[in-house]
Amino acid sequence: MKKVLSVFLIALLALTVLGVTGVLLFRYFAADQIMENGGTMNPDDMDGSETPLILDGDHTYVDNEKLLQVITGTWSSEDGHYVIELDSDCRIILSLDGEPLLDDHIQFVYLQPGSVQSTEFFLDSYGLQRKDGSPAWEITSFFHEASDEDPSGRLIMEIALADDSKTVEFKKQEK
C-alpha cells in the first residue's frame, strides 16, 4: 500500500510540475511574446496610460469603382500627340497622332478609405505596336497621380525604346 501511495504522490507531483511549467511557457511565449508583436495589443497588459491602436482604418478595403469614376474618359498629353481613352470596363486605347498603339485593359487596386497619392496600373501587354505590327515603344510605368488642383488628377506613363525613354503626362479632357 505504501508503494502505491508513493507512486501516486510522485505521479501527482510530476503532473503538478508539468502543469505549472506548461502554464508558464504559454504565458511567456503566447501572452508576452506573440501578442505584443506585429501591432496587436494585449488588453490585459494595459496600465491605464496607454490607448490601444486601431488595427483597421486607411487602406483596409478595395474601392476600384471610386477611382474608375474619376479616370473614365479621354486624356491627352500636354503636346496633344498622345491620347488615352479609358472606359468603365477598364478598356484602354492609347493613340499617337491618331494611330492606335495599344488596345488593352488596365487592372489596379485602389485601397480606401483615406487619401491615396498614386495608384499603379497594370496591363496585359506593355508593348506598343504600330498598325503594321512593328514595335513602337514599351511602357515601363503607368499610374494615376492625385492632385489637389485638379479633381481628376493626372495619368503618367513612362515609355522606352532601346536607347530613348520619356515620361508622358496626361490631363483629362473636359466633356
Side-chain angles (χ1 to χ4, degrees):
M1 179 74 176
K2 284 186 175 183
K3 281 187 174 182
V4 172
L5 188 57
S6 298
V7 170
F8 177 73
L9 288 175
I10 291 173
L12 185 61
L13 182 63
L15 287 174
T16 304
V17 169
L18 284 175
V20 169
T21 305
V23 168
L24 292 174
L25 287 173
F26 172 79
R27 291 187 80 192
Y28 176 76
F29 286 109
D32 294 337
Q33 300 296 315
I34 296 172
M35 289 183 172
E36 292 300 320
N37 292 333
T40 60
M41 294 293 289
N42 181 354
D44 297 330
D45 195 23
M46 301 291 289
D47 64 0
S49 64
E50 300 175 33
T51 57
L53 300 172
I54 297 174
L55 299 178
D56 60 351
D58 286 355
H59 313 296
T60 55
Y61 65 87
V62 176
D63 192 1
N64 286 354
E65 190 64 34
K66 186 174 183 178
L67 180 60
L68 192 57
Q69 291 172 359
V70 172
I71 64 173
T72 298
T74 303
W75 298 72
S76 62
S77 62
E78 292 177 357
D79 61 7
H81 291 292
Y82 293 90
V83 174
I84 290 178
E85 294 177 32
L86 283 166
D87 67 18
S88 59
D89 291 329
C90 296
R91 182 176 181 210
I92 178 174
I93 299 174
L94 171 66
S95 303
L96 173 61
D97 295 326
E99 181 183 356
L101 298 176
L102 177 72
D103 188 347
D104 204 348
H105 286 85
I106 61 170
Q107 299 158 14
F108 58 93
V109 176
Y110 187 63
L111 296 175
Q112 282 295 306
S115 175
V116 180
Q117 295 304 313
S118 68
T119 302
E120 182 89 21
F121 295 134
F122 303 97
L123 302 163
D124 292 332
S125 171
Y126 289 89
L128 305 177
Q129 294 185 347
R130 299 192 181 277
K131 279 186 198 176
D132 62 6
S134 63
W137 295 279
E138 183 177 343
I139 299 171
T140 56
S141 179
F142 183 34
F143 58 95
H144 174 265
E145 191 172 85
S147 169
D148 292 333
E149 299 85 38
D150 184 1
S152 298
R154 60 188 181 153
L155 298 180
I156 298 173
M157 182 179 287
E158 295 175 8
I159 53 178
L161 175 67
D163 58 348
D164 186 27
S165 64
K166 68 165 109 175
T167 300
V168 182
E169 190 174 311
F170 295 88
K171 300 270 187 206
K172 191 170 185 180
Q173 295 179 354
E174 298 296 322
K175 293 180 181 182

